[in-house]
Amino acid sequence: MRNYLTIQYTSMIVICFICGVLCYQLFEMAQIKQVITIFDQRLLSLEKPTIFWNVVPFLVSIIIVLFFSTHQYLAKIALIFIAIKMTFLGLSSVFLLVQHDSIKMYAYWWFPFQLLYGILLIMLYEVMKRQQSSRALKRKLPYNRVLILLFVFVLIGTLENFAITYLFK
């Protein structure tokens, strides 16, 4: 069963990334910039982003996935949000490579950290989904797993801030 889920989520990430690349080809530049402004406006400038804009997209994603995955009937919305986030990764990756012409920013900052955030969001979704599928009498929040995942999110966020500090000297 775990192998099936791994294949399913890996396929979802790859297909969504490719769809994001295709969206870059289909949309006009004004539309792409609007989408980037909504999801993560750090990509629009080549200046070092403030700590506020480094934390906001990161926290909003965690809150949305936690909120929707804790509700039995809304859990699939969390998975749809993660798929949209992976599609945005594809769209923004092409934008970063084409508009800013920066392989260094893409390779050291954008792609690895956004991919890790997507994988961690999937793991958070799975932990919360398993909670929903257990029997009502045995149902309790998996605090240990959620806290470990949140700690890893903070660790990755800290590493991302160091990478941003290094890249935007």
Side-chain angles (χ1 to χ4, degrees), residues 3 7 35 38 46 67 85 105 137 167:
N3 288 334
I7 292 169
V35 170
I38 292 170
L46 287 174
F67 176 75
K85 189 125 175 86
M105 282 177 49
L137 295 176
L167 288 171

Side-chain angles (χ1 to χ4, degrees), residues 128-139:
M128 299 310 287
K129 186 182 89 169
R130 285 192 188 143
Q131 161 60 26
Q132 293 298 328
S133 64
S134 65
R135 290 192 335 216
L137 295 176
K138 294 178 77 176
R139 215 179 268 179

Side-chain angles (χ1 to χ4, degrees), residues 11-67:
S11 300
M12 181 188 84
I13 290 171
V14 170
I15 290 170
C16 289
F17 187 88
I18 292 170
C19 287
V21 172
L22 291 175
C23 287
Y24 184 84
Q25 298 295 320
L26 296 175
F27 292 173
E28 294 178 11
M29 189 53 64
Q31 295 171 325
I32 292 170
K33 288 183 178 180
Q34 284 177 339
V35 170
I36 290 174
T37 302
I38 292 170
F39 279 97
D40 198 342
Q41 60 185 331
R42 296 180 291 177
L43 293 172
L44 294 176
S45 70
L46 287 174
E47 298 173 2
K48 181 180 177 183
T50 62
I51 196 79
F52 177 76
W53 286 113
N54 284 337
V55 174
V56 167
F58 162 77
L59 282 178
V60 168
S61 298
I62 294 171
I63 290 169
I64 288 173
V65 170
L66 276 175
F67 176 75

Side-chain angles (χ1 to χ4, degrees), residues 111-125:
F111 182 77
F113 289 106
Q114 297 306 312
L115 182 64
L116 284 173
Y117 287 145
I119 292 168
L120 288 172
L121 287 173
I122 289 171
M123 291 171 68
L124 187 61
Y125 167 76

